[in-house]
């Protein structure tokens, strides 16, 4: 009898562990919390991650994997209420002084005033390629999907599937492009009230702390870089349509709609900043 109870218990444990591990195909497997001393938390069995910021510290996480090209999606719900002075960064980056980086940054605001979505692209350590946007919805009311598509020809920033920015590979005009350095996804919530809101005019209201941003549904459709090799070199990549994806007619129209109605800054039209002429890649954008 003892034996049969025992084996039932073993079967039960096996089933339980199969159940638990399959339901753990989630944030516990995909990301590591990297800083914030308990302010970053994975909860709800790995379905949800929250970052928080108080006067002492912000917090952050990074993907476990490194990618060399991919389509990375995640749903974010930004800091609610008075988020002035806070910045939620969500970006791909490689390491080192000549690093590559593809940035989304969400600059908070007073309640009811619009967040700014700040984007930038660094290659070989050089950035300065900012475009900024307002959103066509309240990003604090619910989760929305923010995506970076990065392939050898272009980088496309999208929000809920609507492209907001396309950055084309500018090697044809003599400018380097991120294509050799694998990147991880990083995200952090931090205080930047010296510049974030109305150029630093509005300071963080610490009586509203802690500030919290939430994340879910991380999805990396990507070439994973490991031990000097890309998973896309060995696998059949015929299904990775994102690897040569470009904007179709409808997406081009959506992009133009965003640029016309929601773009608030474009370095490629900032004549004051570039009195000697715009950077060469601007000819392609
Ligand atoms: C905050 O709101 C002000 C007033 O509407 C606006 O000028 C600014 O661009 C908004 N966003 C940030 C991050 O400052
Ligand atoms: C490539 O194949 C390996 C082994 O089958 C798999 O673990 C990995 O996820 C695949 N990578 C991609 C990008 O499909
Ligand atoms: C890859 O898979 C597709 C079907 O999914 C097939 O048509 C193609 O021949 C395969 N290519 C290679 C190199 O195995
Ligand atoms: C490509 O996708 C189809 C449909 O999702 C799937 O049946 C097929 O096995 C995939 N091929 C490869 C090589 O992954």
């Amino acid at each position: 009898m003892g034996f049969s109870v025992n084996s039932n218990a073993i079967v039960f444990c096996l089933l339980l562990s199969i159940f638990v591990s399959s339901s753990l195909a989630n944030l516990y497997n995909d990301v590591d919390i990297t800083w914030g001393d308990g302010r970053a938390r994975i909860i709800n069995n790995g379905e949800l991650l929250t970052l928080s910021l108080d006067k002492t510290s912000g917090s952050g996480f990074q993907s476990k994997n490194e990618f060399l090209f991919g389509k990375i999606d995640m749903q974010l719900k930004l800091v609610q209420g008075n988020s002035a002075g806070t910045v939620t960064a969500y970006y791909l980056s490689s390491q080192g002084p000549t690093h590559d980086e593809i940035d989304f940054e969400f600059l908070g605001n007073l309640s009811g005033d619009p967040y700014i979505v700040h984007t930038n692209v660094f290659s070989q350590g050089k950035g300065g390629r900012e475009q900024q946007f307002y959103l066509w919805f309240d990003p604090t009311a619910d989760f929305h999907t923010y995506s970076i598509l990065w392939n050898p020809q272009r980088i496309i920033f999208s929000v809920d599937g609507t492209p907001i920015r396309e950055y084309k590979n500018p090697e044809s005009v003599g400018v380097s492009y991120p294509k050799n350095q694998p990147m991880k996804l990083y995200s952090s919530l931090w205080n930047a009230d010296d510049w974030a809101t109305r150029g630093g005019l509005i300071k963080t209201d610490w009586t509203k702390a802690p500030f919290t941003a939430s994340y879910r549904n991380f999805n990396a459709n990507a070439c994973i870089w490991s031990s000097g090799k890309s998973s896309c070199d060995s696998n059949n990549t015929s299904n990775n349509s994102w690897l040569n994806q470009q904007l179709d007619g409808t997406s081009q129209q959506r992009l133009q709609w965003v640029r016309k109605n929601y773009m608030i800054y474009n370095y490629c039209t900032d004549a004051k900043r570039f009195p000697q002429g715009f950077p060469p890649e601007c000819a392609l954008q």
Side-chain angles (χ1 to χ4, degrees):
M1 265 322 176
F3 177 74
S4 104
V5 166
N6 218 358
S7 71
N8 278 344
I10 289 168
V11 168
F12 177 76
C13 283
L14 273 175
L15 285 174
L16 187 70
S17 71
I18 288 166
F19 173 76
V20 167
S21 61
S22 64
S23 75
L24 282 184
N26 60 30
L27 291 166
Y28 283 116
N29 300 337
D30 294 328
V31 307
D32 288 317
I33 286 171
T34 43
W35 63 287
D37 196 19
R39 290 174 183 80
R41 298 196 306 148
I42 298 176
I43 56 178
N44 296 2
N45 295 319
E47 276 175 22
L48 190 70
L49 185 155
T50 57
L51 293 185
S52 79
L53 161 71
D54 57 36
K55 206 165 181 176
T56 311
S57 177
S59 53
F61 69 89
Q62 68 186 44
S63 63
K64 289 187 192 283
N65 283 322
E66 285 189 297
F67 311 106
L68 190 58
F69 305 123
K71 183 172 183 300
I72 314 281
D73 308 303
M74 198 161 190
Q75 292 191 308
L76 277 70
K77 187 160 119 182
L78 301 177
V79 174
Q80 289 181 298
N82 180 356
S83 59
T86 72
V87 172
T88 306
Y90 166 74
Y91 59 104
L92 291 169
S93 183
S94 64
Q95 305 274 317
T98 58
H99 76 296
D100 298 330
E101 191 176 314
I102 305 171
D103 290 331
F104 266 112
E105 281 185 332
F106 304 95
L107 316 185
N109 216 333
L110 295 169
S111 301
D113 281 348
Y115 264 73
I116 287 178
V117 181
H118 174 98
T119 63
N120 202 354
V121 175
F122 285 70
S123 73
Q124 297 294 318
K126 183 182 175 301
R129 304 190 173 103
E130 303 87 355
Q131 283 187 5
Q132 294 185 334
F133 307 85
Y134 289 144
L135 291 165
W136 49 96
F137 53 84
D138 174 1
T140 72
D142 209 341
F143 285 92
H144 291 271
T145 305
Y146 301 88
S147 312
I148 296 172
L149 173 104
W150 169 38
N151 69 29
Q153 302 87 38
R154 54 183 44 81
I155 293 162
I156 299 171
F157 297 80
S158 305
V159 177
D160 290 335
T162 293
I164 63 166
R165 177 173 187 180
E166 178 180 27
Y167 182 81
K168 294 191 184 120
N169 181 328
E171 289 175 302
S172 64
V173 294
V175 177
S176 68
Y177 180 76
K179 62 167 196 191
N180 299 314
Q181 307 190 74
M183 306 206 235
K184 285 188 176 183
L185 176 77
Y186 297 85
S187 188
S188 55
L189 174 59
W190 41 289
N191 179 50
D193 67 1
D194 52 336
W195 61 270
T197 307
R198 296 183 57 195
L201 219 58
I202 316 267
K203 302 299 176 194
T204 303
D205 179 357
W206 292 112
T207 67
K208 301 292 190 300
F211 303 98
T212 303
S214 306
Y215 299 75
R216 69 182 191 195
N217 293 343
F218 172 82
N219 183 38
N221 217 322
C223 303
I224 293 165
W225 185 262
S226 167
S227 314
K229 281 208 284 276
S230 164
S231 62
C232 290
D233 290 344
S234 45
N235 295 16
N236 185 335
T237 59
S238 64
N239 271 1
N240 291 344
S241 55
W242 56 266
L243 254 174
N244 50 29
Q245 191 173 327
Q246 44 186 326
L247 294 174
D248 63 14
T250 311
S251 302
Q252 291 282 2
Q253 281 173 11
R254 297 291 290 165
L255 177 66
Q256 291 316 318
W257 172 78
V258 172
R259 287 172 64 98
K260 179 163 178 277
N261 297 293
Y262 298 99
M263 186 159 75
I264 54 174
Y265 180 78
N266 181 4
Y267 77 112
C268 283
T269 58
D270 188 347
K272 261 197 234 138
R273 180 171 164 193
F274 299 106
Q276 314 296 330
F278 294 115
E281 72 273 15
C282 289
L284 307 174
Q285 309 302 315

